[in-house]
Amino acid sequence: ALVKGNAPPPKKSASSEERKCRNVEECQEQAERAEEIKAQQEAEKAAANPPKVTSRGTNYLDIVEEGSTTSSSDKVARDGDTVEVHYKVLKLGKRSYDGLSGEGTVVFSRGYALEDDEKVIGDHSFKFTLGDNQVISALNDAVPGMAVGALRRISVTPQNGWEKNTKACDGGPGGSGAGGELKTDYVVVPTATMVEQEACFDKNKLPFPLTYAQERRMAQRFDQSLIMEVRLVNVV
C-alpha cells in the first residue's frame, strides 16, 4: 500500500562526501588542486587557439564566443575605412599564458554598459578612421581584416598604445629605453618599468578615458602590456 508523506532525503554518495574538506589543510589542498586544473584547462585552450601576428608585429586573438549561433558579417574593415567599435581595455590576468587569453581586469571601456553613462550595451561606441595617427597604433594595425560582428583581443604594448614615442619613455615591455625602477608588483610582465607617468602618458591618443578615475587607472598602467578586446560594430 502507498503511504503518503515526505520522501526520505537521498543518500549522499561516497564521492560527494570525499569532496568535502574536513579541516583547513584539506580545504587549502582542494583549492590548490582546483586552481591547477583550471590553469591547465586555460593553457590547453590557449594552445588550441594560438595568437596571430599582423604584418606590423601586433599580436591578436580572434575570440569564438561559447554558445554563439550567429556568424560574422561579410563586411570587412580595411585600411582607410571609418569603423565603429565597442571595446574594453584590460589589465592582464594571472593566467594569461599568451598575453591575450584568460581573465582580465577592465581599466576603461566603451559600449559594454560598464561605465556610469551607459545603461545598456551599445549606448555608446567609438568611431574612428583606420590609419588616423591620433588613434593608438594597436587599433590601426589589428582591426583591418575584422568582419562586422567579430570579437578580437589585441595586445597593446606601451609602444603601440598610450606611451609617448621618445627614447626616455621607451622602457616598458618591448621597449629599448632605460626606463626607471623595476615594478616588483607586476607578475605577468616582470620587465615592466616605472616611468614618470605624467611625462610619458600621451593623453592625445585615442581612445582615451572619459572620467578622472579611469584616467588615473590608465596613468598607472599605460607602461604595461594591456589587452584591448574589440567588437567591430559597423563599417561606415
Side-chain angles (χ1 to χ4, degrees):
L2 295 175
V3 180
K4 293 182 178 180
N6 295 327
K11 292 183 179 179
K12 295 180 179 179
S13 64
S15 59
S16 64
E17 288 292 335
E18 291 173 357
R19 285 196 296 268
K20 291 184 177 180
C21 52
R22 298 174 178 81
N23 52 55
V24 175
E25 288 76 15
E26 283 188 12
C27 291
Q28 186 172 358
E29 288 177 4
Q30 290 187 14
E32 290 174 354
R33 282 199 298 271
E35 187 72 16
E36 289 174 0
I37 292 172
K38 189 173 182 180
Q40 184 178 357
Q41 291 173 342
E42 291 286 350
E44 292 173 352
K45 187 176 179 181
N49 184 26
K52 299 175 183 177
V53 186
T54 68
S55 60
R56 298 187 184 100
T58 300
N59 292 339
Y60 69 92
L61 184 68
D62 287 318
I63 304 297
V64 179
E65 298 173 277
E66 295 182 7
S68 176
T69 57
T70 59
S71 58
S72 299
S73 167
D74 292 333
K75 200 172 185 180
V76 176
R78 305 187 185 282
D79 286 329
D81 285 343
T82 297
V83 297
E84 180 181 4
V85 301
H86 296 162
Y87 67 83
K88 288 185 285 189
V89 176
L90 305 170
K91 176 185 175 183
L92 289 166
K94 292 188 295 184
R95 287 190 294 272
S96 185
Y97 298 95
D98 51 14
L100 286 166
S101 59
E103 301 170 352
T105 303
V106 177
V107 182
F108 73 100
S109 66
R110 207 67 179 149
Y112 281 92
L114 299 176
E115 308 300 344
D116 293 338
D117 62 340
E118 298 177 326
K119 294 182 180 179
V120 297
I121 292 175
D123 257 2
H124 297 283
S125 62
F126 175 57
K127 293 181 181 180
F128 67 100
T129 300
L130 290 169
D132 184 348
N133 290 331
Q134 194 173 359
V135 175
I136 62 170
S137 300
L139 273 185
N140 281 327
D141 192 16
V143 169
M146 286 184 70
V148 171
L151 185 65
R152 178 173 288 182
R153 278 192 170 191
I154 302 167
S155 174
V156 184
T157 62
Q159 294 74 32
N160 66 2
W162 290 268
E163 183 180 78
K164 289 183 179 179
N165 186 22
T166 64
K167 186 173 182 180
C169 294
D170 191 16
S176 57
E181 296 180 359
L182 184 68
K183 282 190 173 178
T184 56
D185 62 338
Y186 195 57
V187 177
V188 179
V189 186
T191 56
T193 54
M194 183 70 75
V195 295
E196 293 183 8
Q197 294 173 345
E198 295 302 323
C200 294
F201 188 20
D202 193 343
K203 298 181 180 180
N204 294 316
K205 286 292 184 181
L206 298 175
F208 195 77
L210 298 178
T211 69
Y212 177 78
Q214 293 170 0
E215 183 177 334
R216 297 323 301 160
R217 287 199 298 270
M218 266 303 288
Q220 295 169 0
R221 296 177 176 89
F222 77 94
D223 59 336
Q224 303 171 359
S225 287
L226 300 169
I227 300 170
M228 198 162 187
E229 187 169 294
V230 177
R231 184 182 299 279
L232 183 59
V233 177
N234 194 17
V235 177
V236 181

